[in-house]
Amino acid sequence: MKLGAIEAGGTKFVCAVGNEDGDVFEKIVIPTEKPEVTMPKVYDFFKGTGIERIGIGSFGPIDLNEGTGTYGTIQKTPKTEWIGFPLGDEVSKHTGVPVVVDTDVNVAALSESRWGSATDVHSCLYITVGTGIGAGAIVNGATLKGLSHPEMGHIAIRRHEKDTFAGTCPYHRDCLEGMAAGPAIEQRWGRPGKDLKEKELVWEIESYYLAQAIVNYIYILSPERVIMGGGVMQQAHLFDLIRTKVVDMLNGYVSSPLLTPDRVDNYIVPPGLTNEAGIKGALILAAE
Ligand code: ADP
Ligand code: ZN
């Protein structure tokens, strides 16, 4: 079956034609400008391709509740030109095929669970630490949704005793994203994360926040694997700092053999797929 896939991001839209096995036959990258500029190029790409459905992994917030009448509509976002844009409906209207929408992180989680770092488990969490922080969860093979989609980047965290940074989140100031996403690191230290590799306190504070978040996600969702990606996680030394802190903070309370110091390396892991996780995940959405 020929399927369409869209990875709708803040800087670019990647569109592809592929199939349910994750094979990609054709692909195009379109810069994210305002909807009137970007979207006609998206519709053009799919013309005459013979696809039967389209899956979209989108930046958010986006309404994923099928009962609201605004399913697939972009909500409050710093990209103000997109607020209220009915992405799912418009793509369906212009291509004439049904559209399934989910968040970019849910779609990445789906992809990792099918072809990446979580093929051997039934549940996992995919966390991205980049310009923002977001996470997608797979529970029994499906992405976790409810009222709309989870907003795991905006949870409250305890402040590090050496950290006086106010936080960057326009809604909550010092939530997880406000304290630990790439822009928070850059504003706190006056230089981007990639230039701070040797400064120990940067990563001590960063891992303290990310570990707290993971501990909370473990308590609430009980994932069998935690996958961490995004620009900030290019600092590969962060993985061991986070693993150690997660085990310490849990303090033995969740008694799983996966959460012991010698096995946690296989519990908190980098992504298994590189640049096609979004598109492949959107193909899974389209196939379902
Ligand atoms: P996006 O979240 O916009 O999709 P990325 O996942 O690449 O994009 O995240 C971008 C953020 O990651 C920026 O804030 C940048 O400073 C940070 N970043 C990118 N590369 C690195 C690196 N090697 N080390 C630390 N931070 C990085
Ligand atoms: Zn926030």
Side-chain angles (χ1 to χ4, degrees), residues 29-43:
V29 179
I30 301 164
T32 307
E33 296 174 63
K34 47 189 178 188
E36 306 86 272
V37 177
T38 302
M39 294 313 295
K41 297 177 187 163
V42 173
Y43 310 143

Side-chain angles (χ1 to χ4, degrees), residues 153-155 169-178:
H154 293 270
I155 62 168
C169 179
Y171 292 92
H172 321 106
R173 197 163 277 275
D174 57 358
C175 66
L176 175 68
E177 178 172 297

Side-chain angles (χ1 to χ4, degrees), residues 112-135:
E112 286 292 331
S113 70
R114 180 79 58 93
W115 294 299
S117 289
T119 54
D120 55 333
V121 289
H122 301 288
S123 60
C124 72
L125 198 61
Y126 175 89
I127 307 172
T128 178
V129 189
T131 307
I133 297 182

Side-chain angles (χ1 to χ4, degrees), residues 39-49 94-95:
M39 294 313 295
K41 297 177 187 163
V42 173
Y43 310 143
D44 270 357
F45 170 75
F46 288 110
K47 267 202 195 104
T49 53
H94 285 89
T95 58

Side-chain angles (χ1 to χ4, degrees), residues 86-280:
L87 179 64
D89 282 355
E90 287 294 308
V91 171
S92 182
K93 191 172 93 192
H94 285 89
T95 58
V97 298
V99 168
V100 186
V101 185
D102 212 328
T103 59
D104 42 11
V105 277
N106 266 346
V107 161
L110 208 49
S111 210
E112 286 292 331
S113 70
R114 180 79 58 93
W115 294 299
S117 289
T119 54
D120 55 333
V121 289
H122 301 288
S123 60
C124 72
L125 198 61
Y126 175 89
I127 307 172
T128 178
V129 189
T131 307
I133 297 182
I138 300 295
V139 183
N140 296 325
T143 61
L144 181 67
K145 287 174 286 192
L147 278 179
S148 182
H149 52 81
E151 284 288 2
M152 291 189 240
H154 293 270
I155 62 168
I157 37 140
R158 196 177 289 164
R159 182 175 281 275
H160 191 282
E161 59 181 14
K162 292 192 179 142
D163 190 13
T164 56
F165 181 60
T168 64
C169 179
Y171 292 92
H172 321 106
R173 197 163 277 275
D174 57 358
C175 66
L176 175 68
E177 178 172 297
M179 297 299 269
I185 298 174
E186 183 162 356
Q187 282 184 41
R188 180 188 289 111
W189 302 103
R191 271 180 290 159
K194 69 170 168 40
D195 301 337
L196 292 162
K197 188 166 191 304
E198 309 305 328
K199 211 166 149 55
E200 223 172 282
L201 186 59
V202 173
W203 309 109
E204 167 60 30
I205 290 176
E206 182 69 11
S207 57
Y208 179 68
Y209 294 144
L210 293 171
Q212 284 185 61
I214 292 171
V215 165
N216 283 317
Y217 305 150
I218 291 172
Y219 287 145
I220 296 168
L221 296 168
S222 209
E224 294 164 283
R225 186 148 303 132
V226 174
I227 301 161
M228 302 190 76
V232 173
M233 295 309 298
Q234 301 283 328
Q235 299 292 323
H237 54 101
L238 261 179
F239 278 93
D240 272 340
L241 292 172
I242 293 168
R243 288 168 180 141
T244 306
K245 287 189 175 60
V246 165
V247 172
D248 283 354
M249 286 176 189
L250 286 168
N251 201 19
Y253 188 68
V254 178
S255 49
S256 163
L258 303 182
L259 293 170
T260 52
D262 53 324
R263 294 200 45 199
V264 69
D265 287 14
N266 191 39
Y267 181 73
I268 300 172
V269 300
L273 298 168
T274 45
N275 49 14
E276 295 220 309
I279 278 298
K280 284 175 181 283

